[in-house]
Amino acid sequence: MSSDPTIFDAILAGDIPCHRVYEDEHVLAFLDIAPLSHGHVLVIPKERAAQMDDLSDEAAAALGRVLPRLCRAVMSATGCEAYNLLQNNGAEAHQAVFHVHIHIIPKFADGSGLGLKWNSRELTSPEELASAIQAAC
Ligand code: 5GP
């Protein structure tokens, strides 16, 4: 266990109810209690980890394996044709619950869904940057 318990541990334990949409040995998915749009789902690993960089390869693989199926299920159930996957890490990045979770957020023609402000900047020192990240992998 790499972090303190959160409300998602209480959901995993069944101490707090949720509207479950999927569960397997490693993953639980349920409706977000304050959805940005109809069909907003949270997908969480059962392994407790605050951020994606804390998560084991095995738990991450289990999440990744089930994501396409869950996206298809949300599309089928809601009729959405567009959606965003959002995964916040750290309070500055808008993380409120410190247990890894991936949002599946349908986007509809009425504008409901994820609002985005894409603050694009000039790419600086790409060779050095790519080398530094590559070396840290
Ligand atoms: P974050 O900002 O950490 O990426 O998003 C946390 C999400 O968890 C929010 O969208 C919030 O509505 C959702 N959430 C927080 N508490 C609960 C809860 O008790 N039940 C459910 N179903 N969702 C919750």
Side-chain angles (χ1 to χ4, degrees):
M1 297 274 180
S2 63
S3 59
D4 294 330
T6 69
I7 195 154
F8 290 174
D9 287 280
I11 287 175
L12 282 167
D15 296 335
I16 291 180
C18 72
H19 294 282
R20 182 173 53 189
V21 301
Y22 175 84
E23 182 167 14
D24 66 28
E25 189 183 351
H26 302 290
V27 175
L28 177 69
F30 50 96
L31 298 183
D32 194 296
I33 202 167
L36 296 184
S37 61
H38 182 59
H40 184 165
V41 162
L42 299 175
V43 189
I44 70 172
K46 291 187 174 177
E47 177 178 290
R48 187 193 299 156
Q51 298 193 173
M52 185 61 80
D53 49 284
D54 299 317
L55 196 59
S56 70
D57 289 355
E58 292 70 27
L63 274 181
R65 192 164 45 239
V66 77
L67 269 177
R69 192 197 320 181
L70 285 169
C71 292
R72 287 190 291 271
V74 169
M75 293 177 80
S76 168
T78 67
C80 80
E81 294 180 350
Y83 59 92
N84 293 96
L85 298 185
L86 176 69
Q87 205 279 308
N88 299 326
N89 298 278
E92 288 179 355
H94 208 279
Q95 185 176 12
V97 178
F98 293 90
H99 182 124
V100 169
H101 53 282
I102 298 171
H103 299 254
I104 302 174
I105 310 172
K107 187 78 179 178
F108 292 103
D110 67 1
S112 64
L114 181 67
L116 267 182
K117 189 172 173 207
W118 196 264
N119 291 324
S120 185
R121 298 164 174 254
E122 190 180 340
L123 177 60
T124 54
S125 308
E127 289 83 9
E128 291 87 337
L129 179 59
S131 296
I133 296 172
Q134 195 177 29
C137 280

